[in-house]
Amino acid sequence: MFTAQKALFLYAVSPVHMGAGTALGLIDNPIQRERHTDYPVIAGSGLKGAVRHRFWQQAPGQREKLDRYFGRDTNNLNDKASDYAGAVSFSDAQLIAFPVRCGRAGFVYATSPLALARGKRLLAAAGVSGVESWSVSTPAPGRCGLINEDLLCNGKLQVDSYELEPEIDTNLKSIAEWIAANAFPNELKVDFFKEKFQSDLVLMSDDDFGYFVKNATLVEPHVRIDNDTGVAEGGGLFYTENLPPESLLLSVVMATDERSSYSKKAEAASILNDVVEANGGFGGLDAQLLQVGGDAITGRGQIIVSAVECLR
């Protein structure tokens, strides 16, 4: 049983490809999506693997501790992964806000009642205070709640190739301010995006938001080059889907007391503190840039991690 947990905001600063395998549709390499909502998601197992790899590379002198915290490497024939389970786990990262092209200000951060309700539930379960006061309205399809009137053009919000009927939402402003204060670390000097989130968060209906998260991701064509001829191989064209930069997701990192046979076993709170903060002999996660998913050699998968203070 996990006895310590902390919420983590994940903010994409590059395209992120968390692959879901080969698809039968037009996109050859789609991203992971939830079955019931079709929202983009980052699987907790992939997130845990990325964190473990980062720590493994950063702190080679701490690999014994990392094995105890994250579980042993099953590829090492000298280890028995079945001896004990790791003490750290990550939940799937759920989508909170999604960037959508806008006729003004470049883009807006789109969200929906469902996305905010799920985020509120996850934050409350992680022991975070301040979310119980969130009051979320439910716009009808074709309408939206917004904070910043400067986003409007001829009285409408122009997003991608659509126009939405706007309504100023005062409750949305307090939610945007809370999320911005917790999702954008001051240490990384991201004040521009913090302020933009506070002013340019837009509440869409679940239907409209669902359309954009399904159809407004970043899809890129790739070709395979023949090493001998230096030109594209026949049939080598394929399409890869990415979660776009400026997407915001929410996960929870959880810990239990150490399960190994080590003589001085660490307790859950201490393990969680080591993983999140930079005092465990490895870099920690809070206010750090983490690489997740595939295509790392092309600069994909860069996300900013921000831990939310738990007051329970």
Side-chain angles (χ1 to χ4, degrees):
M1 176 180 176
F2 296 108
T3 55
Q5 58 278 322
K6 183 163 285 192
L8 302 173
F9 277 111
L10 310 176
Y11 185 80
V13 296
S14 77
V16 178
H17 179 71
M18 293 296 288
T22 302
L24 299 178
L26 295 177
I27 300 175
D28 302 283
N29 299 318
I31 58 174
Q32 297 170 354
R33 293 182 179 273
E34 294 176 329
R35 178 66 176 177
H36 61 304
T37 65
D38 220 13
Y39 288 3
V41 66
I42 296 179
S45 57
L47 189 57
K48 178 179 178 179
V51 172
R52 186 182 190 277
H53 177 73
R54 173 187 173 87
F55 289 167
W56 189 266
Q57 298 297 320
Q58 278 186 331
Q62 298 292 330
R63 289 180 177 178
E64 180 186 358
K65 181 189 286 188
L66 290 174
D67 281 346
R68 302 199 319 263
Y69 285 8
F70 287 83
R72 291 187 175 183
D73 187 353
T74 57
N75 292 325
N76 189 336
L77 298 179
N78 295 321
D79 289 337
K80 294 181 180 179
S82 60
D83 285 349
Y84 58 85
V88 176
S89 183
F90 291 80
S91 73
D92 292 351
Q94 300 176 358
L95 188 66
I96 299 296
F98 185 84
V100 177
R101 184 176 58 179
C102 180
R104 295 282 179 87
F107 71 94
V108 295
Y109 294 96
T111 189
S112 74
L114 177 59
L116 289 179
R118 299 178 75 200
K120 178 180 178 180
R121 179 181 63 185
L122 198 60
L123 287 164
V128 176
S129 66
V131 298
E132 55 279 342
S133 62
W134 287 12
S135 178
V136 183
S137 59
T138 54
R143 302 188 66 86
C144 67
L146 79 166
I147 302 164
N148 182 9
E149 290 184 323
D150 291 339
L151 295 174
L152 302 181
C153 183
N154 297 324
K156 303 288 183 68
L157 180 69
Q158 298 179 347
V159 281
D160 210 278
S161 56
Y162 296 87
E163 289 186 338
L164 301 180
E165 293 285 347
E167 183 177 343
I168 298 299
D169 189 332
T170 56
N171 292 324
L172 184 63
K173 180 175 176 61
S174 62
I175 294 173
E177 289 174 347
W178 191 97
I179 294 176
N182 288 276
F184 297 87
N186 293 328
E187 298 90 328
L188 296 185
K189 308 298 182 185
V190 288
D191 293 347
F192 174 88
F193 300 97
K194 184 175 183 177
E195 293 172 4
K196 182 174 176 61
F197 192 94
Q198 292 179 75
S199 65
D200 294 354
L201 183 65
V202 172
L203 180 65
M204 298 181 178
S205 70
D206 290 329
D207 291 345
D208 292 337
F209 183 72
Y211 170 83
F212 285 114
V213 301
K214 294 173 191 174
N215 298 286
T217 54
L218 178 61
V219 178
E220 299 175 322
H222 295 262
V223 294
R224 287 190 293 269
I225 302 298
D226 185 285
N227 289 330
D228 295 326
T229 64
V231 299
E233 293 181 1
L237 175 66
F238 61 97
Y239 291 89
T240 297
E241 184 181 26
N242 295 273
L243 188 67
E246 321 310 331
S247 299
L248 180 66
L249 301 95
L250 177 67
S251 178
V252 174
V253 56
M254 301 162 285
T256 184
D257 293 345
E258 191 177 332
R259 297 182 172 103
S260 75
S261 57
Y262 187 66
S263 58
K264 297 180 180 179
K265 294 183 181 180
E267 296 182 351
S270 176
I271 293 172
L272 190 66
N273 194 47
D274 285 351
V275 171
V276 175
E277 307 296 339
N279 55 6
F282 29 86
L285 287 176
D286 190 25
Q288 297 295 314
L289 191 65
L290 175 70
Q291 195 282 326
V292 299
D295 296 332
I297 60 172
T298 59
R300 299 299 190 257
Q302 303 298 316
I303 60 173
I304 292 173
V305 182
S306 182
V308 184
E309 186 65 28
C310 177
L311 300 179
R312 176 178 294 176

